[in-house]
Amino acid sequence: MSPLDRVLGRLTGVSPNGRSACCPTHDDRHASLSIAQGNDGRVLLKCHAGCPVETLLDAMGLEVRDLFVQTDGGRRVEATYAYLDEESKLLFEVVRYAPKGFTQRRPDGAGGWIYNLHGVQRVLYRLPQLLSAPGRAVFVVEGEKDADALAELGFVATTNPGGAGKWRAKYSEALRDWSVYIVPDNDEGGELHARDVARGVLPVAQEVRIVRLPDLSEKGDVSDWIAAGGTADELRRFVRATKPIASADVTERPSHAESDGPLVLLSEVTPEDVSWLWPGKIPLGKLSILEGDPDTGKTTVALDIAARLSSGRSMPCEGVAAPPAGVVIITAEDGLADTIRPRLEAAGADLQRIAAFRLDSLPDLTASGLAAIEAAIRRVDARLVIVDPLVAFLPDQADSKTDHRIRRVLTPLAGLAERTGVAVLALRHLNKSDGNNPKYRGGGSIGFTAAARSVMLAGVDPGEEARRVLARVKGNLAPPWPSISYELEAGDGAVRVVWGAQVEWSAADVLRSPTRDAGDGPADRHAVDDASDFLTEVLNAGWRSSKQIKKEAGQAGIAWRTVERAKTKLGQAVKAKRYGGDWGWELVRTDEEHRHHPLPVAEWRSGGLGEKPTQIIDSATPPLRQGEGDLAVLETCGDGVEV
């Protein structure tokens, strides 16, 4: 365990980045303990209420030496597991270390290793033995060691690279028409993995059984069972005594186990490909946003996607269909009886797989609300959650126009998506600016766009008023994709989407559409208000030169004169300042704002505990402002320790 893991494991109220926590020695409501690492791995602590380091250590049950890296031991290779292709050619290896740890490596073609799997085909473990097996029965376990242990007993056994939670659809296809016996580890993660594997192989396997071994200790596995005297004949009896399962048996998911701590060494993180609900457009396990003006069909598009997922049909312009899955809908704008259900039925949805929150029980994006959403996800085995509109579910204290507050609200939502593997599709209206930069046109803070991994725009086709266009605004995880046209067709009292061909219009083209501008009134009707929002967001990170602000304003489609008018409107909240020969602007923060939302320290020079952290600066760096306690606080943004 690293010194940082050791310290963070003894603290409460740890921030998502691990840089602050509640002080363990006094009644702390605002996480006044700052945490950092020196260049040599040591932990640096600072309580802004003045608690001495010795008192902090005593409260945590630690000693000074616990803050430093222990160098009297190292990892040794305990085992290597080769993953081979169909022709027994080595693709990659999994290396197990002692103390326990794993990494993956691939041959570099010159007798050495490259410690990543970029571009390498992922296959099941012991694939050649699987393909040459005389029977059609296979045990699926959680790790390579377990698969080898079963092979020594004479069974065909396999596992997937990466262990629990990393099962992929192509692994299921390799087991088509096999009898699959899944042997889970005796913990919550093992149960969850067994259900994930079962869900994957049920559509293709001859039969599926989850074989739970008796008398296993907590976190025990099949290797432990064999070491304790388990035999091949006993395992065969357990298989015969276990009933085959059906889809309904694995629909309900157990709750996820708590993390052992806030940090993980990246050397122990298994690289994996992005999984997609709609390839290139809506990633699984991530937050995506669909935005647009009213009457462009945002909700109808989202419901069409839900209908396709629930009924196992392919997404628009895609030829491959995924197995049907559940959907959770959270809407504050449309009635379930007169709008949501009719549109889903018109789109061909399987309503048995779709659940929606009642209007009088809508969850917000607080901890309790997210817990309710997660319970709904488990109930219908969801792969998609629709939030319409996103701003309606922000906590009351959240300011939709303040970047850092929006990011703090959306981070737990993104965490929910990653933890459950669902795609969260949030809907958002556009602001009333006349700018044509799509990234600045969503309502509220730019933090919404920044937090999402994919942002799409629904708008009017610039060349045909009756047609609509779905265009890419942002995509962190896939290359740009061509826009897709669609029409909204009414029939039997419900509107549905009829998808058309790919079109050349970009999101910027759609925003420049004369049809869209015609209904907005004068071009500068809300220009100053929008420019004020833009200026506040840009300066929220700290001082910016006038040249930088002018450039970003131009990219956002905001005239410089309008920005100057916005500065005048903001009054004393924005002041001019000169750094390194360049004039620029910065926000004036109150002491209260500094105390609750401090700016980060750029670097802590490692010295002894108790020394004041300092910063190395150059002529281009704004000078430091002395903050509370002994810490210097920057007037700009950067990586470092939040204090």
Side-chain angles (χ1 to χ4, degrees), residues 149-173:
L150 286 175
E152 290 179 3
L153 290 182
F155 297 108
V156 178
T158 188
T159 189
N160 57 280
K166 302 298 190 298
W167 189 263
R168 299 184 179 185
K170 66 179 181 180
Y171 303 150
S172 300
E173 186 59 36

Side-chain angles (χ1 to χ4, degrees), residues 513-549:
S513 168
T515 303
R516 181 183 187 280
D517 293 340
D520 283 347
D524 62 348
R525 179 179 178 184
H526 300 282
V528 175
D529 288 340
D530 291 330
S532 298
D533 294 340
F534 161 83
L535 192 56
T536 301
E537 291 165 3
V538 168
L539 297 181
N540 190 56
W543 178 90
R544 304 294 289 275
S545 71
S546 299
K547 293 179 181 178
Q548 291 173 312
I549 298 171

